[in-house]
Amino acid sequence: MISFLTRRLLSGVVLVAVISALTFVLMSMTGTDTARNLAGATATAQQVAQKKTELGLDRPVAAQYTDWLGSALRGDLGRSWAGGDSVAASLSDKLPVTLSIVIGGLLLSAILSVLLGVGAAVRGGLLDRAVQLLAVIGFAVPSFLMALVLALFVGVRWRMLPATGYTAFSESPSLWLQSIILPSVSLAVGAIAATAQQIRSAMADVLRLDYVRTLRSRGLSSRSLLLRHALRNAAPSALTVLTLQFIGLVGGAVVVEKVFGLAGIGSLANTAASNGDTPLLMGVVVVMVALVVVVNLLLDVAQGWLNPKVRVA
């Protein structure tokens, strides 16, 4: 298992390197005159050329990327071309916002998906049809539309929760929780639909297996049968779906942050892409890809704990 995780970690490092190189190349091909934008509309040609030299944009793309990669490997992600702020400091300031709503949405998805999926597989009937209907609605309604509805009704009209803004956990845990509920719910609806349907299907398949009927005939309680045996065997597929949902939630957070006025990684990436701010955008990309790699590693560990065959393989 350790050698397997080591290989996955190395492949993750390669993935980060490849994605960062592709992003750097694509940024150089956008056609955006970054030097002109930063120098100002009234800047002379000489001033623009001076800005290009200052930023290193007059050098080959390969040389620019090599310099950036060398600094990144030393832990220095550079400074924003637009604001001059440290990229690492900007990321550390914005990342907690995005992680708060993404992890909140993921936890909400996991809890409700298990309850709905297991209930639909065990009880069937009306609950099963309701879960399938929820899956259809969850796939059909985009997260930004759900965010707009929640912000309008729950936040503005009913004033139950804040419609905009973010409070750091260190300032007030209660206000922090209130500020992330609506964005987390907006992100979670689609994930709940997909994961609950997956858990329902997996649980229904497991409950039809011979060993389940054998355990039930020996008098094993329904609670123990579901939690210790059936759910554990159905969990690997659900974990895989949740991992994919995490990646989707990170992408959906870009739009949801806009709706709720949250200054997270999404808004940072949008600003960097608009300004042609390569160091800032590269920092965002590296952090996001690293998060995906870490989540996939955690999935492998969880899969090995749940399924001994994975550990042997």
Side-chain angles (χ1 to χ4, degrees), residues 284-302:
V284 172
V285 169
V286 168
V287 168
M288 291 295 99
V289 176
L291 276 176
V292 172
V293 171
V294 170
V295 169
N296 278 281
L297 282 174
L298 293 176
L299 171 65
D300 293 331
V301 173

Side-chain angles (χ1 to χ4, degrees), residues 147-201:
L148 288 172
V149 171
L150 291 176
L152 176 62
F153 288 96
V154 180
V156 177
R157 290 195 179 180
W158 301 334
R159 299 184 182 278
M160 297 173 62
L161 291 167
T164 57
Y166 172 82
T167 301
F169 182 84
S170 58
E171 294 180 12
S172 173
S174 61
L175 292 179
W176 167 81
L177 182 61
Q178 293 178 38
S179 66
I180 69 168
I181 288 178
L182 292 184
S184 297
V185 171
S186 304
L187 289 173
V189 171
I192 292 171
T195 312
Q197 184 70 5
Q198 180 64 40
I199 293 177
R200 171 200 168 275
S201 301

Side-chain angles (χ1 to χ4, degrees), residues 12 26 45 64 82 93 104 109 114 166 170 208 228 231 259 271 280 304:
L26 290 174
Q64 295 178 45
D93 183 48
S109 303
V114 170
Y166 172 82
S170 58
R208 286 194 291 264
R228 295 185 57 187
L231 185 58
V259 174
T271 302
L280 187 56

Side-chain angles (χ1 to χ4, degrees), residues 101-266:
I101 64 173
V102 169
I103 294 177
L106 193 66
L107 290 176
L108 188 62
S109 303
I111 295 170
L112 293 181
S113 297
V114 170
L115 293 176
L116 293 173
V118 172
V122 174
R123 296 187 178 277
L126 182 61
L127 180 58
D128 187 19
R129 290 192 291 272
V131 170
Q132 296 187 49
L133 178 62
L134 173 65
V136 174
I137 296 174
F139 283 124
V141 179
S143 58
F144 76 87
L145 180 58
M146 181 61 64
L148 288 172
V149 171
L150 291 176
L152 176 62
F153 288 96
V154 180
V156 177
R157 290 195 179 180
W158 301 334
R159 299 184 182 278
M160 297 173 62
L161 291 167
T164 57
Y166 172 82
T167 301
F169 182 84
S170 58
E171 294 180 12
S172 173
S174 61
L175 292 179
W176 167 81
L177 182 61
Q178 293 178 38
S179 66
I180 69 168
I181 288 178
L182 292 184
S184 297
V185 171
S186 304
L187 289 173
V189 171
I192 292 171
T195 312
Q197 184 70 5
Q198 180 64 40
I199 293 177
R200 171 200 168 275
S201 301
M203 282 292 294
D205 291 339
V206 170
L207 291 175
R208 286 194 291 264
L209 295 177
D210 292 337
Y211 85 91
V212 174
R213 289 194 292 269
T214 302
L215 291 174
R216 187 179 286 116
S217 66
R218 292 180 177 179
L220 190 68
S221 66
S222 298
R223 179 188 179 90
S224 180
L225 178 65
L226 288 175
L227 297 180
R228 295 185 57 187
H229 299 280
L231 185 58
R232 180 162 183 167
N233 283 289
S237 58
L239 282 174
T240 302
V241 174
L242 277 174
T243 302
L244 295 175
Q245 292 302 323
F246 173 83
I247 300 172
L249 293 180
V250 171
V254 176
V255 179
V256 171
E257 287 175 3
K258 281 286 186 181
V259 174
F260 290 101
L262 303 178
I265 288 292

